[in-house]
Amino acid sequence: MDPALIGTRLASSAIAPLIRRLFVQDGPGAGLAEQRVRLTRLVSFRGEKRTLTERDVRRLAARLVADALATPGEPPFPHDEAEAVTDALARTLLALGDLDMDDVQAVHLGHRELAGRLRRAAPGPAGLSTDAAGFLDSLTEWACLHILHFFTQRSTFVARTLVEQAHTQAELIAKVDALIARTPRPFARDASFELRYRAYVAKKHGSLTIYGIDLHTTPDAWPLDAAYLSLEASTPDTRPAPRPGFSCTVCDQEAAPAPRPADQALAQHDRVLLRGVAGSGKTTLVQWLAVSASKGDPDTRMAYLGDRVPFVLPLRTLTRHGERLPAPDRFLPAVGCPLAPPDGWADRVLSSGRGLILVDGIDEVPEPERDRTRRWLRDLLAAYDTGNRWLVTSRPSAVRDDWLAPDGFTELALTPMSRTEATAFVRRWHAAAGPDATSYEQPLLDALRTKQDLARLATNPLMCGLICALHRDRRGFLPRGRKGLYDAALDMLLARRDRERDMGDPTGVDLGEAPQIRLIQRLAYWLTINGRTEMDRSRARTIVLDAIPAIPDAAAAGEPEAVFQHLLHRSGLLREPGPDAVDFVHRTFQDYLAAKAIVDDWHIGVLTDHAGDDQWEDVIRMAVAHARPRECAEILTELLAAADRATDRRTRLRVLFVAAAALEHATELAPGLRRALLDRTAEVIPPRSPEEARELASVGPLVLDLLPGPEDLDDEQARMVVITATHIASDAALPYLARFAGHPYLPVRSQLIWAWSRFDTAAYAEEIVSRVDPDGLDFTIASDDQADALLRLGLRMPRLDVREGVSATGLAAVLRHVSPEELRVARPRAHPDLDCLASLDRLRTLRVYVSEDTTWSLACLPPKAPLEHLEMPAPPREGLGGLRRYPALRFAAYLGRLSADDWQDLAELPSLAYLACASASLASCPASLALPGVTGIGLVVADGDRTLHRLADVFPHLRNLSLIGPGPGPAVPVDLSPLAGLRPLRRIETRRLQVTGADRLPAMVYVEVHPPA
């Protein structure tokens, strides 16, 4: 790699300021002083004028290497050698102070010879690959070119004969930079395009419509940075009950984490399937991630996306015509991006693992086409399976729980907005709406706090936005119920917006609310019947123009084309998301108006035919809301008949649950029919699985009256009904959940604690948490509010699980108060404060979860604690020698690789019986070392690892062995046959591995294989 190629990665404007820091600054110019200057006096890390330390020089070298690697295109050497290259470059730069020459002599040498002298003066790099060594040589020469140019600009540079050479050096640098500009290499063209593309993405997705804010004198869209509210996502309740016996949570992480910020999901997982109800903020989250990745310097929270190239792929757009889903080279034109990338750009981005692929709206693909969509995703994953991050969004029930699990996707669900989040949204909405909305903010907050029916509606951003808008628009008076809110919203958008803006008839069409609704609901009906959320503009125009003659007010309003334009641009319900495309501003309005069209035209058979289709759930519920009493009774009767006709249990449950959920929208219904529907629903209660439990919860608070109490249920049934109740986002669930606080089954009580974050912190703490039996329970605390509640109630739990959402101050306060015997603490920060652990003298079990690159010390652990169980995924900086002060330690789990010294330290622990580490650590164990007391092992097996044959030598009395693959992605192959000679071995358990050789083990060895998903 020649210096010019380095120059394409580090242009002069980037490298020159860094090089100047290596030298004492005496002023610019080529002076004519009489004395030459030795290099030992020039460098800024030696002598009396020292301004840099050797550590600073290493940081400078790291910056140069990191900048070169961060440039788009194929990296010049493997990323895992960056540390070694940085060390070698730092040593080379430090050798400047060891050269026996002055600045004039250095200039005489030229940049290549000077680089050679530096390489000979510095310790040679050991073990670098050919690519890394070539890169280091080229970067050294490029740096020397700038060093010599720096010398010629010093005021003390006196050699007149070298002035011409100084000009030559400057000219050479200028020519290299000019050459770069004139003939950019492919990755330089990529970099130039990416700057334009990132700016385009930031502008296209950088604004957000907050429903109702576009009234009166306010703009239609608001900056995403100001309007975005981070919601939380949680793992669905698919956890099995805890298995009896000794388990390692480092190697077997089945416990579901507490809810975490949704925009941090991809920081922890490369592939995420995110579910959320209509209006929950899925598309807004996609916008936020895309914009965050497009910024050159994202904020600290979103810094993990700083090197990513976002691809926003709304499936409603990609599947509008039913054509094949696009390959990467068609990503941009398929979504209407007008920019033309260099040939092969998208392939190079994804091949280098820099892509952020945001696939929005699986539920907006017709159900028969979803398998085709999954095949498309799998083809992409197979071609670009390393480094990229993938987010797929969907409504909750659009696809089954394991739909993308075999492809390594972690499944998360957007949680309903808590009271705190709803309050934050209301405040932000009113701040964005301007001074005239200020007086309505507090009255609305008071109403949300005191009116249960209103609070039940304010559980997602869409509904919160509508409530805020209508509350202001109606001067503090709100309609009751969901249908009432939508009716008022339509009146606000269709009839009053332009009138109250004093805009007259900007399109020349004066059309009332009712005829506009009749026309627009035709579009909603067509989209819903065809399983779409977006249509061609020409089709929308045809539907409207064909309907106008049958609606006298519309026919009299003006030319049909003008009426269509009025609906498209002034109704506030429709938009053009791309060229030749029309959709609704939100799917919820489409569902609402499609339901109205079905009831108006009495197409009841359409409802029952689609009763098991997840896309029709809101349509059916709103149809019941639109229907008159006799029509409502007929719809519900037909739904019961559809449930009877269903051939599989899942469909039957879905139809019954949708019918039950629709009950709350029925304004009048015969008591006998209501009772019959509730009795039929009760037949499937309690639910049989977490999936059924969540579906049942979608019915809403009504289902609480159907759930049986703990006295009538076995343990697993109790867990299922508690899962159901904890997914009902209403404080009405608290009295029911409180009945299970003393339940003897641990998973029931674990679910109660796990769900704390879904409810009002103080109310849940008083009614549930304070009454939960703590026996055997890992008591999870996920926020400072929960920590404060625990302290306020004076609760003392022997087993604590403190998540990353708790601040250092909150953690210290809780630990001082509780002094637990068992503690799991997550501190995924660069510099976690763990000193608060030192006082926990009762501690027996400690699980420390920190980032792999975190620096911490065993000195923060309590020196006098009777510690028996320790898990630490990141290495303590001083090694494992400090563990000797814990003679009772029986269990040690360390996710990294053990060194020879670590093995020696572990061998000196007299009680050690179980160890977990990376299987590659076995290669570093000294040949003469054995740990006969260890009878259980957990190993994380990497691809290509061939160290299992050493188990018999290191652990001669091993009885139980757990092997686990490294994580999502293709299963790692492992051959068990080398264990055939390990006579004491009795049990092997494997996870995420492709196992062979089990047939060669002795018959007394039980092998439990959990196949890859």
Side-chain angles (χ1 to χ4, degrees):
M1 181 179 289
D2 59 28
L5 185 54
I6 290 291
T8 64
R9 293 177 172 272
L10 295 172
S12 302
S13 60
I15 190 172
L18 299 178
I19 293 298
R20 282 198 295 270
R21 294 185 59 200
L22 292 172
F23 300 95
V24 175
Q25 304 295 315
D26 287 335
L32 297 177
E34 294 182 355
Q35 185 177 5
R36 295 181 177 183
V37 184
R38 310 294 296 179
L39 294 191
T40 54
R41 293 179 54 197
L42 275 177
V43 294
S44 57
F45 47 85
R46 298 277 180 87
E48 297 177 354
K49 297 182 179 181
R50 185 172 72 169
T51 59
L52 296 181
T53 65
E54 292 188 1
R55 178 175 294 183
D56 292 329
V57 175
R58 191 189 186 285
R59 289 174 180 164
L60 185 149
R63 171 73 181 277
L64 291 173
V65 174
D67 286 353
L69 285 176
T71 305
E74 182 180 357
F77 60 89
H79 282 270
D80 59 6
E81 292 190 272
E83 188 75 13
V85 172
T86 297
D87 289 339
L89 179 60
R91 291 194 298 267
T92 302
L93 295 176
L94 288 169
L96 280 166
D98 298 326
L99 295 182
D100 185 21
M101 65 178 66
D102 56 42
D103 53 349
V104 175
Q105 291 170 328
V107 173
H108 268 302
L109 288 175
H111 69 280
R112 288 192 174 88
E113 180 58 25
L114 179 60
R117 294 282 183 95
L118 286 177
R119 286 193 286 268
R120 291 191 289 274
L128 291 182
S129 67
T130 301
D131 287 344
F135 174 85
L136 178 61
D137 289 345
S138 298
L139 184 55
T140 303
E141 289 186 17
W142 185 240
C144 287
L145 187 64
H146 281 272
I147 288 170
L148 298 184
H149 184 59
F150 170 81
F151 286 167
T152 67
Q153 292 183 314
R154 288 176 42 80
S155 61
T156 55
F157 187 82
V158 298
R160 286 188 175 92
T161 58
L162 297 178
V163 170
E164 183 63 29
Q165 186 175 353
H167 289 308
T168 301
Q169 299 290 351
E171 184 180 353
L172 177 59
I173 291 174
K175 287 181 177 179
V176 170
D177 284 343
L179 179 63
I180 294 167
R182 289 198 307 269
T183 57
R185 294 174 181 267
F187 52 73
R189 290 196 299 271
D190 287 357
S192 175
F193 173 76
E194 283 181 22
L195 289 176
R196 297 177 60 215
Y197 176 66
R198 290 176 187 276
Y200 166 80
V201 171
K203 188 171 183 179
K204 177 179 175 63
H205 298 288
S207 60
L208 178 67
T209 298
I210 305 179
Y211 295 99
I213 262 187
D214 59 343
L215 300 180
H216 308 301
T217 60
T218 54
D220 291 336
W222 293 81
L224 189 63
D225 285 344
Y228 176 72
L229 176 68
S230 177
L231 300 180
E232 291 191 325
S234 61
T235 303
D237 300 305
T238 56
R239 298 168 292 162
R243 290 174 296 167
F246 216 36
S247 65
C248 169
T249 57
V250 168
C251 296
D252 184 13
Q253 302 213 9
E254 292 181 334
R260 82 289 303 265
D263 56 17
Q264 295 298 299
L266 287 177
Q268 302 172 2
H269 309 286
D270 289 341
R271 302 175 183 180
V272 172
L273 171 60
L274 183 70
R275 299 176 188 263
V277 299
S280 60
K282 301 186 295 297
T283 299
T284 302
L285 174 63
V286 166
Q287 287 182 244
W288 176 253
L289 294 174
V291 171
S292 297
S294 296
K295 293 180 179 178
D297 54 344
D299 60 33
T300 303
R301 288 186 67 255
M302 306 305 295
Y304 74 95
L305 295 178
D307 62 339
R308 299 284 162 179
V309 178
F311 297 94
V312 180
L313 304 175
L315 288 173
R316 61 182 172 275
T317 299
L318 301 182
T319 61
R320 187 170 80 241
H321 298 292
E323 65 268 49
R324 292 188 59 177
L325 290 161
D329 64 339
R330 295 287 303 159
F331 278 177
L332 270 56
V335 297
C337 176
L339 302 179
D343 289 344
W345 168 75
D347 176 72
R348 288 191 291 274
V349 168
L350 297 178
S351 296
S352 63
R354 297 189 302 116
L356 174 65
I357 302 92
L358 304 168
V359 181
D360 188 26
I362 289 291
D363 55 283
E364 296 178 349
V365 177
E367 190 166 10
E369 298 179 21
R370 290 177 193 167
D371 281 340
R372 178 169 67 93
T373 303
R374 179 167 54 178
R375 289 194 299 272
W376 169 72
L377 268 173
R378 286 177 169 170
D379 288 342
L380 291 173
L381 290 164
Y384 308 105
D385 64 343
T386 303
N388 299 298
R389 296 180 189 268
W390 306 73
L391 177 73
V392 178
T393 72
S394 173
R395 285 197 184 186
S397 55
V399 292
R400 64 178 186 270
D401 282 348
D402 60 348
W403 198 67
L404 288 176
D407 305 294
F409 276 77
T410 298
E411 188 166 311
L412 299 174
L414 284 172
T415 60
M417 292 172 68
S418 66
R419 285 186 181 179
T420 301
E421 290 167 336
T423 298
F425 184 97
V426 170
R427 295 192 187 282
R428 190 168 296 185
W429 190 98
H430 286 83
D436 70 315
T438 303
S439 60
Y440 296 102
E441 178 181 314
Q442 193 57 49
L444 179 56
L445 291 174
D446 293 339
L448 289 171
R449 190 163 44 249
T450 58
K451 296 181 179 179
Q452 184 66 30
D453 59 335
L454 187 63
R456 281 175 49 198
L457 293 172
T459 57
N460 65 59
L462 170 68
M463 294 305 297
C464 269
L466 282 178
I467 289 170
C468 290
L470 291 169
H471 184 262
R472 185 192 69 170
D473 190 59
R474 295 186 164 217
R475 305 293 189 268
F477 295 96
L478 282 171
R480 296 176 61 88
R482 188 173 170 190
K483 179 180 181 296
L485 284 174
Y486 289 148
D487 285 340
L490 292 179
D491 175 66
M492 180 175 65
L493 294 171
L494 296 175
R496 299 176 57 189
R497 182 177 67 164
D498 287 346
R499 184 173 69 245
E500 296 190 7
R501 282 178 163 183
D502 295 325
M503 293 185 66
D505 300 323
T507 61
V509 173
D510 183 12
L511 194 59
E513 177 183 350
Q516 288 188 76
I517 289 177
R518 289 292 299 177
L519 292 171
I520 294 174
Q521 72 188 35
R522 299 289 183 95
L523 302 178
Y525 181 79
W526 186 94
L527 286 169
T528 303
I529 283 291
N530 288 278
R532 306 286 182 187
T533 57
E534 190 173 294
M535 64 169 60
D536 291 343
R537 191 181 190 279
S538 59
R539 186 179 296 277
R541 178 180 177 276
T542 299
I543 292 173
V544 171
L545 267 57
D546 287 348
I548 286 175
I551 303 174
D553 286 349
E559 290 295 323
E561 182 64 33
V563 172
F564 173 68
Q565 294 292 337
H566 175 84
L567 296 178
L568 190 58
H569 298 297
R570 303 307 314 161
S571 70
L573 292 175
L574 302 174
R575 63 174 184 171
E576 294 180 277
D580 191 36
V582 173
D583 70 357
F584 279 80
V585 294
H586 198 279
R587 170 74 177 272
T588 300
F589 289 116
Q590 175 186 318
D591 292 344
Y592 178 82
L593 289 174
K596 187 175 187 308
I598 289 169
V599 172
D600 285 351
D601 296 333
W602 201 232
H603 291 170
I604 186 173
V606 173
L607 291 178
T608 54
D609 288 345
H610 293 85
D613 187 340
D614 61 279
Q615 293 198 62
W616 283 71
E617 177 181 338
D618 280 351
V619 178
I620 293 172
R621 295 172 68 169
M622 287 297 96
V624 171
H626 284 297
R628 292 171 294 185
R630 182 190 295 178
E631 296 166 339
C632 180
E634 186 172 345
I635 291 173
L636 293 173
T637 300
E638 289 297 322
L639 287 175
L640 287 177
D644 291 335
R645 293 193 300 269
T647 57
D648 63 280
R649 175 178 170 80
R650 187 178 185 279
T651 302
R652 183 165 59 256
L653 290 178
R654 176 134 196 87
V655 175
L656 286 175
F657 292 162
V658 168
L663 277 180
E664 66 173 310
H665 302 291
T667 55
E668 180 181 333
L669 191 65
L673 179 56
R674 179 182 294 272
R675 186 71 262 162
L677 181 56
L678 294 179
D679 287 345
R680 288 291 306 280
T681 307
E683 294 174 6
V684 295
I685 296 176
R688 299 182 186 179
S689 68
E691 180 185 10
E692 288 186 10
R694 291 193 299 274
E695 280 198 74
L696 184 59
S698 68
V699 173
L702 179 68
V703 80
L704 293 170
D705 295 332
L706 306 176
L707 296 177
E711 60 278 356
D712 301 322
L713 305 170
D714 62 30
D715 288 346
E716 271 303 299
Q717 289 175 333
R719 186 168 80 96
M720 293 303 111
V721 297
V722 167
I723 289 174
T724 302
T726 53
H727 278 76
I728 296 174
S730 168
D731 286 348
L734 298 188
Y736 178 79
L737 292 172
R739 299 166 62 187
F740 292 83
H743 200 281
Y745 191 40
L746 179 60
V748 169
R749 289 178 282 123
S750 295
Q751 178 68 25
L752 290 175
I753 296 300
W754 184 83
W756 189 1
S757 298
R758 293 183 168 177
F759 296 87
D760 178 72
T761 300
Y764 198 88
E766 292 175 5
E767 296 191 42
I768 311 295
V769 174
S770 63
R771 300 167 59 184
V772 169
D773 181 0
D775 184 34
L777 181 64
D778 287 330
F779 196 90
T780 303
I781 302 173
S783 67
D784 280 349
D785 287 343
Q786 292 181 355
D788 292 342
L790 182 144
L791 296 175
R792 186 175 61 254
L793 294 173
L795 301 177
R796 297 181 184 274
M797 302 297 181
R799 298 165 60 121
L800 278 183
D801 181 355
V802 184
R803 300 301 173 96
E804 59 194 76
V806 179
S807 67
T809 302
L811 172 65
V814 166
L815 295 184
R816 280 196 305 271
H817 172 73
V818 176
S819 187
E821 296 179 12
E822 298 189 21
L823 174 65
R824 178 197 187 275
V825 57
R827 302 281 96 181
R829 299 177 176 89
H831 303 289
D833 183 4
L834 298 174
D835 292 341
C836 56
L837 304 178
S839 62
L840 304 181
D841 291 341
R842 300 171 60 232
L843 199 62
R844 296 183 180 276
T845 296
L846 175 62
R847 299 179 176 95
V848 179
Y849 288 81
V850 293
S851 301
E852 292 183 8
D853 56 352
T854 296
T855 301
W856 70 291
S857 171
L858 288 174
C860 67
L861 302 187
K864 299 179 181 179
L867 203 60
E868 299 175 357
H869 181 122
L870 177 63
E871 298 180 22
M872 41 187 184
R877 60 174 175 261
E878 72 274 32
L880 304 182
L883 294 181
R884 298 174 191 172
R885 66 188 183 198
Y886 302 111
L889 191 66
R890 292 179 48 79
F891 185 116
Y894 173 58
L895 208 55
R897 293 186 60 168
L898 299 172
S899 67
D901 289 341
D902 292 333
W903 283 108
Q904 295 286 359
D905 294 330
L906 291 171
E908 297 184 25
L909 298 176
S911 302
L912 188 65
Y914 191 100
L915 177 66
C917 63
S919 62
S921 299
L922 292 170
S924 62
C925 183
S928 59
L929 187 68
L931 283 73
V934 174
T935 59
I937 292 289
L939 296 177
V940 178
V941 182
D943 194 8
D945 188 5
R946 300 291 185 270
T947 58
L948 293 186
H949 67 278
R950 295 219 57 201
L951 283 173
D953 297 330
V954 183
F955 307 105
H957 296 156
L958 182 64
R959 294 181 58 84
N960 298 299
L961 174 63
S962 294
L963 302 173
I964 187 169
V972 171
V974 62
D975 181 12
L976 300 182
S977 57
L979 304 176
L982 192 53
R983 296 302 177 189
L985 189 62
R986 291 295 178 267
R987 187 174 186 275
I988 300 175
E989 181 181 7
T990 71
R991 292 180 180 273
R992 299 202 296 267
L993 297 169
Q994 288 286 1
V995 176
T996 59
D999 56 333
R1000 301 183 61 182
L1001 300 177
M1004 72 281 295
V1005 178
Y1006 172 69
V1007 180
E1008 181 179 351
V1009 176
H1010 297 269

